[in-house]
Amino acid sequence: MKTLVIGTGGREHALALALSRDPEVTEVHAAPGNPGIGAFATLHPVDIMDGADVAALATSIGADLVVVGPEAPLVAGVAETVRAAGVAVFGPDTAAAQLEGSKAFSKEVMAAAGVPTAGSRTCSTTEEYEAALDAFGAPYVVKDDALAAGKGVVVTLDRAEALAHAQACGRVVVEEFLDGPEVSLFAVCDGTTAYPLQPAQDFKRIHDGGKGPNTGGMGSYSPLPWAPADLPANVMESVVQPTLDEMARRGTPYVGCLYVGLSLTADGPKVIEFNARFGDPDIQPVLAVLTSGLGGLLHAAATGRLSEVDAPTFSDGAAVTVVLASAGYPESSSKGDVITGVGAANGVADVDVIHAGTALVDDPEGHQLVTAGGRVLAVRATGYDVADARARAYAAADLITFEGLQRRSDIAAEPLGVVEGASLTQN
Ligand code: AMP
Ligand code: GLY
């Protein structure tokens, strides 16, 4: 099977790497990819927002499967354009990607499907904002209706801050605060049916102890030894299958990864958000412990044949990912800082250095790896259990340096589910 992964980040690197380790996959291509993916796959230039461009590339290399990584091209309709060109694509059409593209839409689908989630109101005027904030009370949760690259959600005790965020956004969803540990569950969907992957947790704040601003994710681990064993089955029954049924009923079947962001509340798991893609870095440890082939699974989903393949399987071990971010992240990022030690870290047993925001520049001594984004690298290790994987990940991460490097020292240190999640005390 020839596969093509679209995107540039850590998610795409982890997906491409898992595909490259699947005996069923004969070729891995990525576009545009990144220097880490380029070490084992063929890279191609492409405009990831241009479906015709992606379709032309997929056709020219004879791809059997295209995996569209990020949400922006999915919401823009890249998956359906490539599908229309006759290539199997893992990723939803525009209409189905609205589960991530519009918070109001996802709330409406959840309500229609009877999916447990935070109570909410969609609002567009100051009068409506104020009424909704007062109805739900503090802590206030205000979400931009539209895609906001991780910056659309404000959770605060300060009513004025909540109101100001709503006014800055326009159309927003104001919702009830959910209290409980957060879990990421990824469901591989073929339009009518789905398989869950093993749950993961993502440490979202920049500093240790869950302090400081939210980021795209500073580290992750899987499995969650403390979580109920039937959590995936429960979420499939209460969330994923009803959502798939509702989307199919509407004539917009959901094909791709349905990323269910959950809060494990005292009243059971409730949906915080849906995303139309794999989460990063949350998917990274999950793929590290996947023991069945990724290519066959995603191809079966892309072609509506999930019921014909076995459920994915996972090792008894664990994996931990520690993100290395550049100076200024998450407010800004620093580009061009020279990175050292990646080769040494990659050489450590059971470790993969995943590239998220790196670039290769030419200098008199040859190629030089430099920072090129907020999240720069992710050091991922597997081990017997979470503690073992964690020790290996940090030992390898210690080998990597660049100016202004930021990382947390407490990723997966507390595998009890009491991470920052929705908690306000850590702001
Ligand atoms: P989202 O972009 O929807 O993932 O929201 C970003 C973060 O805001 C989530 O990971 C949660 O930590 C927090 N959050 C979102 N919605 C809620 C909610 N209803 N209750 C508590 N925290 C929330
Ligand atoms: N790790 C959070 C996300 O991918 O949205």
Side-chain angles (χ1 to χ4, degrees):
M1 187 190 315
K2 291 187 187 178
T3 60
L4 170 62
V5 177
I6 302 299
T8 60
R11 166 185 39 230
E12 289 74 29
H13 187 161
L15 287 165
L17 194 56
L19 289 169
S20 76
R21 291 174 180 170
D22 178 351
E24 263 193 84
V25 173
T26 51
E27 285 180 27
V28 182
H29 298 257
N34 65 38
I37 306 176
F40 63 89
T42 311
L43 303 185
H44 307 266
V46 81
D47 175 356
I48 67 167
M49 297 302 288
D50 182 341
D53 199 16
V54 176
L57 171 62
T59 308
S60 76
I61 63 176
D64 300 298
L65 172 69
V66 175
V67 181
V68 180
E71 64 275 19
L74 290 167
V75 170
V78 167
E80 65 203 68
T81 304
V82 179
R83 227 181 324 266
V87 184
V89 183
F90 185 80
D93 287 355
T94 296
Q98 286 305 303
L99 283 181
E100 174 164 3
S102 165
K103 301 269 187 203
F105 175 78
S106 78
K107 281 295 190 180
E108 185 207 315
V109 170
M110 282 189 256
V115 167
T117 183
S120 72
R121 288 191 199 172
T122 301
C123 310
S124 305
T125 66
T126 295
E127 220 172 31
E128 288 172 353
Y129 305 147
E130 297 207 272
L133 291 172
D134 294 336
F136 293 116
Y140 303 103
V141 181
V142 178
K143 302 184 169 185
D144 195 339
D145 176 47
L147 275 190
K151 298 211 163 72
V153 179
V154 163
V155 182
T156 178
L157 290 169
D158 181 347
R159 188 177 179 281
E161 185 190 351
L163 185 59
H165 181 61
Q167 286 167 331
C169 294
R171 189 168 137 103
V172 297
V173 170
V174 177
E175 67 179 35
E176 171 200 354
F177 177 78
L178 297 177
D179 201 3
E182 281 183 51
V183 169
S184 302
L185 189 82
F186 303 108
V188 171
C189 307
D190 76 352
T192 52
T193 179
Y195 281 129
L197 303 183
Q198 187 170 272
Q201 239 182 355
D202 176 17
F203 292 67
K204 291 195 171 154
R205 307 265 182 186
I206 185 81
H207 299 307
D208 282 3
K211 297 202 169 48
N214 253 320
T215 71
M218 292 299 290
S220 53
Y221 70 102
S222 180
L224 311 178
W226 51 270
D230 62 354
L231 180 69
N234 266 346
V235 175
M236 293 305 287
E237 191 186 328
S238 65
V239 176
V240 176
Q241 195 59 54
T243 301
L244 290 187
D245 293 346
E246 176 62 17
M247 294 301 283
R249 193 189 64 75
R250 291 171 183 232
T252 52
Y254 192 91
V255 175
C257 174
L258 182 63
Y259 167 165
V260 186
L262 294 160
S263 175
L264 305 191
T265 74
D267 299 331
K270 292 192 182 180
V271 176
I272 290 182
E273 60 165 345
F274 281 146
N275 290 309
R277 52 174 171 83
F278 293 104
D280 185 54
D282 353 3
I283 190 59
Q284 295 187 20
V286 178
L287 292 176
V289 293
L290 180 72
T291 47
S292 50
L294 183 65
L297 179 71
L298 300 188
H299 189 266
T303 52
R305 297 179 301 103
L306 217 42
S307 61
E308 295 171 26
V309 300
D310 291 336
T313 53
F314 298 89
S315 78
D316 293 336
V320 172
T321 287
V322 177
V323 169
L324 311 184
S326 70
Y329 184 71
E331 287 83 9
S332 63
S333 63
S334 176
K335 293 189 172 41
D337 299 313
V338 173
I339 304 170
T340 62
V342 169
N346 236 338
V348 176
D350 305 318
V351 168
D352 293 305
V353 178
I354 307 287
H355 291 232
T358 65
L360 280 175
V361 293
D362 287 323
D363 76 357
E365 287 159 40
H367 287 325
Q368 184 94 265
L369 191 67
V370 299
T371 64
R375 288 183 293 170
V376 177
L377 296 164
V379 181
R380 179 181 73 178
T382 53
Y384 307 113
D385 58 13
V386 173
D388 184 40
R390 172 172 198 277
R392 289 169 197 259
Y394 274 105
D398 283 344
L399 302 173
I400 299 177
T401 59
F402 54 84
E403 184 68 32
L405 184 155
Q406 303 189 77
R407 71 178 208 208
R408 281 180 63 158
S409 66
D410 64 347
I411 301 302
E414 194 78 64
L416 289 168
V418 193
V419 294
E420 55 262 37
S423 168
L424 284 163
T425 54
Q426 292 125 350
N427 263 306

